[in-house]
Amino acid sequence: MMDRKAKMKTAGLVLVILLTIAGGLKVGSFLPVIGAHETPANIYLSNYYIENAIQHTHAANIVTAVLADYRGFDTLFETCVLFLSGVGTLMVLFSKAKVKRRLPKFRKTESHSETGEMISEFTQRGSYSSGILDASFRIIMPIVMIYAIYVLFHGELSLGGGFQAGALLACAYLMDRISPSFESRMGEIKEENMLIVAGLGTFLYAFTGILPMFFGGNFLEYAKLPFCALVHGGVAGLHAAGILMIEIGVTVCVMAVIMTILEVVLERTDFDDD
């Protein structure tokens, strides 16, 4: 009976793989060849962006103009997908009956030598132990966080942006959480609270796009933001303010989602070797 079920599962798996390959080949036949010169991007689209991006969007960086203006909807949906990935991870891995497992800490043990002398030493449960590594984390963390803020504010002008800044901030939190011999400086944050923060980041992006619509503009038309008295530079200044708002939203969402996945995985991991 078990052999029959195993054979049926194997046959079903093979059938699914074959159908997926066949469907992929069929769909691929309708798509343009990768790198082909006759694709719209190579014929006119790229040249259009290069020639008109600064005039249309008032962005100092063409990459920013494409991501935050021409493809603003796409970037918003990417942020939504990240938020939903955090929700999905929490729903799959999170358990209400969970038992909090903190990372291993140093404990002091005592033993007697053959001569009767008391020997005190610090040992650690688990194999992940290094005082040099822990001290290095404490030095690197502030640098990573400062660099993350730099990348965030640089997103409108040059290379950088919310996705990179959010990942860097999450890395700083990761270093704080996996450092075993020191108490966590940032503290342990509940996954539910992190997802709320991620949702607020996504909402900030959407709100930045919707706000101009109340003042006669279109979605993500930064020139219609009601901040004329607060920024300098006219339309270009308003565009920079709008880009900064959506970049902050993306940063918060990416950071919170990565932290959520990290905490859920840590709670389901046993760090004890004994």
Side-chain angles (χ1 to χ4, degrees), residues 45-46 49-50 53 57 59 61-75:
L45 197 58
S46 297
Y49 288 157
I50 294 172
T57 66
N61 182 16
I62 295 180
V63 176
T64 302
V66 173
L67 293 178
D69 289 273
Y70 293 119
R71 294 180 61 237
F73 280 103
D74 183 68
T75 306

Side-chain angles (χ1 to χ4, degrees), residues 191-213:
E191 299 88 344
E192 304 93 321
N193 296 336
M194 292 182 192
L195 274 185
I196 293 175
V197 173
L200 290 176
T202 307
F203 172 78
L204 178 59
Y205 193 129
F207 176 76
T208 305
I210 295 173
L211 186 60
M213 300 175 66

Side-chain angles (χ1 to χ4, degrees), residues 21-80:
I21 294 175
L25 293 174
K26 186 64 176 178
V27 173
S29 64
F30 296 103
L31 298 176
V33 179
I34 298 176
H37 295 288
E38 63 272 11
T39 58
N42 292 326
I43 294 176
Y44 65 89
L45 197 58
S46 297
N47 294 331
Y48 179 85
Y49 288 157
I50 294 172
E51 295 171 1
N52 300 284
I54 296 178
Q55 179 183 356
H56 289 172
T57 66
H58 302 279
N61 182 16
I62 295 180
V63 176
T64 302
V66 173
L67 293 178
D69 289 273
Y70 293 119
R71 294 180 61 237
F73 280 103
D74 183 68
T75 306
L76 173 60
F77 291 143
E78 288 177 1
T79 307
C80 294

